[in-house]
C-alpha cells in the first residue's frame, strides 16, 4: 500500500519509521517531513494545515492511506478534506477532534459519558477566573481552552501567576489539582471498536527533578512496571470505550488515535485531558515496542475493520526516549545550529538506539541544522528499563548541538526501583 503521513516532528518520524518496516507498505510519503524523515520517505512541500492541498497530494500519489499526525491539521479539518475525496484517513474529523481542540468540549463529553475527571470551571471573564481560583485553591491548574502545542497548561502555587495565565486566554478551564503519577494511554479506534496500546509515561517539565516550565515533553518510557496490571482494562471500561460511544451517540464518531492523559490519584484513575492524535514523545517508545505491523493496524481503523484485527503483538523489550532541545526552549528557541554525531549513533548504537528527528532541516550543503524547539528524540530499547536508559543516554552523548539541553533523569527513578537487588 501507498501511505502519506502528514506532519514533520519526531512523532511523524516514529510513525514513518514503523511504517517503513511494514512489508505491506510499498511506498511512503510525508508532507512536509524533516531531515530525518527524508531518509525513509519521499517528502512533499505541502502545508499540513491546507486540507485541499493535502487532499490533492493524496489523490495525485494514489495513496491508499493518509495518516494525519499533529493536532492542528485535525482540528482544521484536513482529515475531512481527504475523506471527502474517497481516501481512507487515520485521524478524526474536525468535529470529533474538538475533544482536543476544546477542553470545555472534552469536559462536556466526559460528563455525559460519566468518565472520571477533575472538577472544573470554564471561565471567560476576570470575575469567573477569580471565583474558580478561590474555589479550588493551590496548587492552581489553569488550561487554555484551545490548542497550545502542549504548553497551554500552568500548574502553580502562585495565584498571581495562575491569574495572569488565565487572563491571557480567551477562554480557560480552571480545575482541581489531581495528585498521583501521570500515565499516557493511546487507543486506536474506528468509531466503534477500541484497541488500547501499551501505556507510557512522559516528562513534561523542562528540567531535572520535574523543575521548570511545562514543555511539549522532554522524554518518555514504556512499560510501566509500577502500574496496576489491570490499569488498561480499567481505563478501557471507564474512559476509552464510554468516550467513543458518547461521540458516536452525538453523531460525531471518533476514528483515529484517542489519547487519554491520566492521573492515578488516591481516589482512583482520573482523566487529565484527551488528545486526538499520537502523543510526542510517548509515541516514540510505544511504537518501539509494537510488533504488529503498523500499516495494517492504522488501515483497519481508517476503514472500520478494527473488530476483525487479531490481538496486537508486543515486544518484551523496554523503551526510553530522551529529547534534545534547542537553546532557550521552551521559550523562543535558537535555530539554525549544525547537528553533529548523527552518523556516529547510526554506526555505533543501531539497532538498539536510534535518532528520530523533530525540528531539523538540511542546508544547501546537506548539513543537518536545528529548526525548532525540540530537535531530536533519541530512542533506545533493551531487555529492561535500566538497559534501555543506558543505551539512550550513551547515544545522547554522541550528539553535538551548541547550546542544546536535555534532561538527565528520564526513567531514572523507575529504572532504579525495577533493578534487581544485588545478591538477591
Amino acid at each position: 500500500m501507498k501511505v502519506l503521513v502528514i506532519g514533520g516532528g519526531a512523532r511523524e518520524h516514529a510513525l514513518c519509521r514503523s511504517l517503513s518496516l511494514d512489508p505491506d507498505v510499498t511506498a511512503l510519503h510525508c508532507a512536509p517531513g524533516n531531515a530525518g524523515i527524508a531518509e525513509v520517505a519521499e517528502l512533499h512541500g505541502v502545508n499540513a494545515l491546507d486540507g485541499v492541498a493535502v487532499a490533492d497530494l493524496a489523490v495525485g500519489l494514489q495513496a491508499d492511506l493518509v495518516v494525519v499526525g499533529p493536532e492542528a491539521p485535525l482540528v482544521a479539518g484536513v482529515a475531512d478534506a481527504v475523506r471527502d475525496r474517497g481516501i481512507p484517513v487515520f485521524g478524526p474529523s474536525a468535529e470529533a477532534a474538538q475533544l482536543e481542540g476544546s477542553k470545555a468540549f472534552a469536559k462536556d463529553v466526559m460528563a455525559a459519558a460519566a468518565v472520571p475527571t477533575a472538577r472544573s470551571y470554564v471561565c471567560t471573564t476576570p470575575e469567573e477566573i477569580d471565583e474558580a481560583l478561590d474555589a479550588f485553591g493551590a496548587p492552581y491548574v489553569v488550561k487554555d481552552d484551545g490548542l497550545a502545542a502542549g504548553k497551554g497548561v500552568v500548574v502553580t502555587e502562585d495565584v498571581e501567576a495562575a491569574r495572569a495565565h488565565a487572563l491571557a486566554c480567551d477562554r480557560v478551564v480552571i480545575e482541581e489539582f489531581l495528585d498521583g503519577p501521570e500515565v499516557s494511554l493511546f487507543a486506536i479506534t474506528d468509531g466503534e471498536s477500541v484497541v488500547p496500546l501499551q501505556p507510557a509515561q512522559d516528562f513534561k517539565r523542562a528540567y531535572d527533578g520535574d523543575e521548570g516550565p511545562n514543555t511539549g515533553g522532554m522524554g518518555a518510557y514504556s512499560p510501566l512496571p509500577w502500574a496496576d496490571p489491570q490499569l488498561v482494562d480499567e481505563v478501557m471500561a471507564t474512559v476509552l470505550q464510554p468516550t467513543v460511544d458518547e461521540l458516536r451517540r452525538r453523531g460525531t464518531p471518533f476514528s483515529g488515535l484517542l489519547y487519554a492523559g491520566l492521573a492515578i490519584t488516591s481516589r482512583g484513575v482520573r482523566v487529565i485531558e484527551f488528545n486526538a492524535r499520537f502523543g510526542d514523545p510517548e509515541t516514540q517508545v510505544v511504537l518501539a515496542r509494537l510488533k504488529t505491523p503498523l500499516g495494517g493496524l492504522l488501515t483497519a481503523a481508517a476503514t472500520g475493520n478494527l473488530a476483525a484485527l487479531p490481538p496486537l503483538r508486543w515486544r518484551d523489550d523496554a523503551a526510553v526516549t530522551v529529547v534534545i532541545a534547542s537553546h532557550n526552549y521552551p521559550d523562543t528557541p535558537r535555530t539554525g545550529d549544525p547537528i553533529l554525531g548523527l552518523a556516529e549513533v547510526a554506526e555505533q548504537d543501531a539497532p538498539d538506539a536510534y535518532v528520530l528527528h523533530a525540528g531539523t532541516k538540511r542546508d544547501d550543503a546537506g548539513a543537518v541544522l536545528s529548526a525548532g524547539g525540540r530537535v531530536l528524540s533519541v530512542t533506545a530499547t533493551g531487555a529492561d528499563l535500566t538497559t534501555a536508559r543506558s543505551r539512550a543516554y550513551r547515544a545522547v552523548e554522541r550528539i553535538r548541538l551548541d547550546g542544546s539541553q536535555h534532561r538527565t533523569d528520564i526513567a531514572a527513578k523507575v529504572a532504579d526501583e525495577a533493578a534487581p537487588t544485588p545478591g538477591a
Side-chain angles (χ1 to χ4, degrees), residues 95-278:
E95 205 170 354
Q98 284 302 304
L99 201 61
E100 177 172 3
S102 168
K103 293 176 179 62
F105 175 79
K107 288 289 188 183
D108 186 62
V109 170
M110 284 187 269
V115 168
T117 187
R119 294 179 298 123
S120 64
Y121 294 103
V122 179
C123 306
T124 56
T125 68
E127 292 76 22
E128 290 173 343
I129 288 167
D130 288 339
E131 287 176 16
L133 293 174
D134 289 343
F136 288 129
Y140 303 98
V141 181
V142 183
K143 300 180 176 181
D144 190 335
D145 179 58
L147 296 180
K151 291 173 279 190
V153 179
V154 165
V155 181
T156 178
E157 298 278 347
D158 184 345
V159 68
E160 292 305 323
R163 181 178 288 112
H165 181 65
L167 291 171
C169 304
D170 290 333
R171 184 160 75 154
V172 69
V173 175
I174 296 174
E175 62 184 37
E176 67 176 327
F177 176 77
L178 297 175
D179 64 327
E182 295 185 13
V183 173
S184 299
L185 183 61
F186 302 161
I188 307 286
T189 178
D190 58 9
E192 291 192 24
S193 298
V194 181
V195 177
L197 305 186
Q198 290 288 308
Q201 186 174 56
D202 77 332
F203 294 74
K204 292 184 173 64
R205 298 283 186 170
Y207 311 129
D208 285 5
D210 291 328
E211 297 291 333
N214 265 345
T215 70
M218 295 300 290
Y221 70 92
S222 179
L224 312 182
W226 51 268
D228 187 325
Q230 301 303 312
L231 175 65
V232 174
D233 290 341
E234 178 186 348
V235 176
M236 270 289 293
T238 63
V239 175
L240 298 171
Q241 191 70 58
T243 300
V244 169
D245 291 346
E246 170 61 20
L247 286 166
R248 188 174 68 254
R249 186 192 68 78
R250 293 178 176 218
T252 57
F254 187 106
S255 171
L257 194 290
L258 178 57
Y259 165 153
L262 309 165
I264 314 301
T265 78
S266 54
R267 294 174 291 135
V269 175
R270 298 287 186 272
V271 175
I272 301 170
E273 64 177 356
F274 281 126
N275 290 328
R277 40 71 194 179
F278 280 99

